[in-house]
Amino acid sequence: MEEAGRMLSSCALCPRACKANRANGEVGFCKMTDDLYLARAALHMWEEPCITGETGSGAIFFTGCNLGCVFCQNYDLSHRQLGKKVSRKRLLEIFYELKEQGACNINLVTSDVYVPIVAEVIKQAKDQGFDLPFVFNTSSYLQVESVKLLDGLIDIYLPDFKFYTEKKSIEYLKAPGYPAAARACISEMVSQLKRRYGKVCDLDEKGQMKHGVIVRHLLMPGGLLEAKMIVKDLYQSYKDQVYFSLLNQYTPLTEHLKDYPKLRERVREREYQELVDYACHLGISKGYMQEGEAISESFIPAFDFRGV
Ligand code: SF4
């Protein structure tokens, strides 16, 4: 764990570059030291079909977040440190337990503030011959150097691209530099997989993703223009090399939104349909959309330390 210790002793994993000595118990914006905290490790059936597969994705939910989203759906997890402390050894055991339960991959959900640690544990697993694909499910507010630590270790990247403009990123995510960071992270992810496999995405005969990049965008109330800009920008850069996942499950949790009246609204079905039509019109053929009503809060799993 030497490399992880070095990187966390003056933390600059994300653009906030707090320089906190997390290895020594200090904390930065994300409020996490170098101790690992998890809230849940269980089969998860609500990812994109090529990630969920037939048996479910082995999703491990990490505690702590480096964003400050005013519309956060998992506030206890991201900012109130809800989680159970686990050792690196225990994380490795969890990989095997999820495989035993039938997981078709190991899905690291918002492990962004632990990148050097998870990189070392994944490496250990791979050295032992652990053969499930690893999924890195990220908000994309990382330095490129952090994503480089995952080169050769992560098979499937699931990056969010939340806002296109600096103005909205600061207002709603409290994250200066978010759009540039997200763009640079996605570019690094695409390059890694292209170098390693010759092409970015590949699915097996059952339609499960073996490796690839799926960019997620959650349509926000009043966010149609931003969403179109994101889709257009990424499609111009990568064409069909990456998958798009356009989400309409925004659920306003109004207790934190009194100063953000627009975000207290729901996304209208016709706006979402306009985004999907726009993506199709651009020529996007690889991707996912959601059908029907916005997904309810029940799709947010219980963070009850199951499997931890
Ligand atoms: S991960 Fe980001 S927010 Fe957390 S301490 Fe490091 S630089 Fe700061």
Side-chain angles (χ1 to χ4, degrees):
M1 298 292 162
E2 275 170 30
E3 176 66 3
R6 190 185 60 74
M7 297 197 71
L8 294 172
S9 65
S10 178
C11 188
L13 292 183
C14 78
R16 296 194 192 278
C18 305
K19 300 289 170 94
N21 185 348
R22 295 173 56 192
N24 213 14
E26 281 178 25
V27 295
F29 180 92
C30 63
K31 301 196 193 83
M32 304 313 292
T33 65
D34 69 343
D35 289 325
L36 269 178
Y37 282 81
L38 307 180
R40 181 182 167 97
L43 296 182
H44 192 60
M45 303 304 294
W46 297 291
E47 304 289 21
E48 287 75 2
C50 67
I51 303 293
T52 300
E54 290 171 0
T55 52
S57 176
I60 305 175
F61 292 86
F62 289 73
T63 303
C65 182
N66 57 350
L67 290 180
C69 306
V70 298
F71 53 90
C72 182
Q73 309 276 296
N74 302 321
Y75 205 78
D76 288 339
L77 188 65
S78 54
H79 294 294
R80 292 195 187 113
Q81 291 79 51
L82 173 79
K84 185 171 160 193
K85 186 170 156 180
V86 299
S87 65
R88 278 71 160 159
K89 184 168 164 282
R90 176 67 194 132
L91 179 60
L92 184 61
E93 284 170 7
I94 289 171
F95 295 169
Y96 284 94
E97 287 171 9
L98 289 168
K99 182 177 176 184
E100 189 66 29
Q101 290 165 35
C104 58
N105 49 48
I106 300 297
N107 184 351
L108 308 163
V109 185
T110 54
S111 61
D112 298 24
V113 303
Y114 303 104
V115 166
I117 301 171
V118 295
E120 293 197 14
V121 181
I122 294 171
K123 183 164 185 323
Q124 225 176 317
K126 293 211 173 215
D127 288 348
Q128 292 175 1
F130 188 84
D131 58 356
L132 290 186
F134 282 92
V135 182
F136 187 66
N137 191 326
T138 172
S139 57
S140 310
Y141 193 47
L142 284 170
Q143 301 278 23
V144 168
E145 289 66 30
S146 302
V147 182
K148 285 186 174 166
L149 294 176
L150 301 168
D151 194 1
L153 300 173
I154 293 295
D155 307 286
I156 300 166
Y157 284 107
L158 272 181
D160 289 343
F161 201 138
K162 292 176 184 291
F163 287 100
Y164 193 76
T165 61
E166 187 70 11
K167 183 173 178 291
K168 293 278 185 213
S169 301
I170 290 174
E171 185 180 4
Y172 292 153
L173 309 178
K174 310 297 175 201
Y178 176 84
R183 210 176 282 115
C185 285
I186 292 168
S187 167
E188 171 61 24
M189 293 165 187
V190 168
S191 305
Q192 283 181 15
L193 296 178
K194 219 164 156 181
R195 227 176 17 245
R196 196 162 140 206
Y197 297 107
K199 68 175 189 174
V200 183
C201 296
D202 198 14
L203 275 61
D204 68 14
E205 62 290 345
K206 288 185 187 159
Q208 277 176 217
M209 188 167 264
K210 295 197 285 189
H211 56 84
V213 176
I214 304 176
V215 182
R216 285 176 165 173
H217 177 70
L218 173 66
L219 181 60
M220 302 294 292
L224 186 57
L225 186 58
E226 290 254 339
K228 286 181 175 177
M229 287 158 95
I230 288 169
V231 166
K232 184 175 177 192
D233 185 331
L234 292 178
Y235 187 67
Q236 281 176 343
S237 300
Y238 304 115
K239 294 290 186 288
D240 275 339
Q241 290 185 89
V242 302
Y243 279 65
F244 290 83
S245 180
L246 303 176
L247 306 169
N248 71 345
Q249 67 196 53
Y250 176 73
T251 309
L253 298 180
T254 47
E255 59 177 310
H256 302 296
L257 293 174
K258 66 176 169 29
D259 297 329
Y260 304 92
K262 191 71 202 165
L263 297 188
R264 295 165 71 98
E265 297 173 12
R266 286 188 178 266
V267 169
R268 293 189 190 93
E269 183 57 31
R270 79 174 155 71
E271 285 178 320
Y272 180 68
Q273 195 51 53
E274 190 177 331
L275 174 61
V276 172
D277 291 348
Y278 179 78
C280 294
H281 181 72
L282 276 178
I284 292 175
S285 62
K286 287 185 174 170
Y288 298 96
M289 58 175 281
Q290 291 180 318
E291 288 178 2
E293 291 294 304
I295 287 173
S296 76
E297 286 167 49
S298 65
F299 279 71
I300 301 171
F303 298 121
D304 51 7
F305 312 138
R306 182 180 309 181
V308 173

